[in-house]
Amino acid sequence: QVQLVESGGGLVQPGGSLRLSCAASRSIFNIYLMAWYRQAPGKQRELVARISSSAITYVADSVKGRFTISRDNTKNTVYLQMNSLKPEDTAVYSCLATNGPVVTWGQGTQVTVSS
């Protein structure tokens, strides 16, 4: 089973940018779907963006135009580029990989947007 490790989180001012990385322990070439979720304190976890093995992407309306998901199969890594960050983007961001019945989560990385 693949293992996922997120990195790139931190504290950033409103309007700033961060790039999150999700590094997999093995090739992601044939992993059907990889995604980023986030969970803010007191709120339900929500889907931020997902990308298929054929690089078809979906981005939630709340971040559309600001966030971009991409994957680099040569580095076994999925990225979430986050621009124009807002305080409401503050959350723990977690990476997910699935081939259907098997779902793997990373441990998450904290993103805090504050002045």
Side-chain angles (χ1 to χ4, degrees):
Q1 186 171 345
V2 66
Q3 294 181 328
L4 306 173
V5 178
E6 300 97 332
S7 62
L11 173 64
V12 63
Q13 293 187 342
S17 297
L18 285 174
R19 188 178 78 159
L20 305 183
S21 299
C22 172
S25 58
R26 65 165 179 80
S27 172
I28 64 171
F29 179 76
N30 61 349
I31 293 181
Y32 172 68
L33 190 72
M34 297 194 71
W36 285 97
Y37 281 76
R38 68 184 181 185
Q39 187 166 22
K43 294 188 177 181
Q44 288 189 329
R45 185 166 56 195
E46 64 173 342
L47 173 66
V48 177
R50 63 175 184 247
I51 185 166
S52 72
S53 56
S54 55
I56 296 173
T57 63
Y58 164 84
V59 179
D61 287 343
S62 59
V63 302
K64 193 168 292 182
R66 301 187 296 122
F67 290 13
T68 303
I69 188 170
S70 62
R71 63 193 290 167
D72 186 339
N73 291 340
T74 66
K75 297 182 178 179
N76 300 332
T77 301
V78 172
Y79 301 99
L80 184 69
Q81 178 66 44
M82 306 186 296
N83 299 327
S84 302
L85 283 161
K86 305 175 181 180
E88 51 262 43
D89 295 319
T90 295
V92 174
Y93 286 71
S94 300
C95 181
L96 171 148
T98 181
N99 270 336
V102 178
V103 178
T104 301
W105 288 93
Q107 84 288 350
T109 185
Q110 176 70 46
V111 171
T112 302
V113 185
S114 175
S115 55

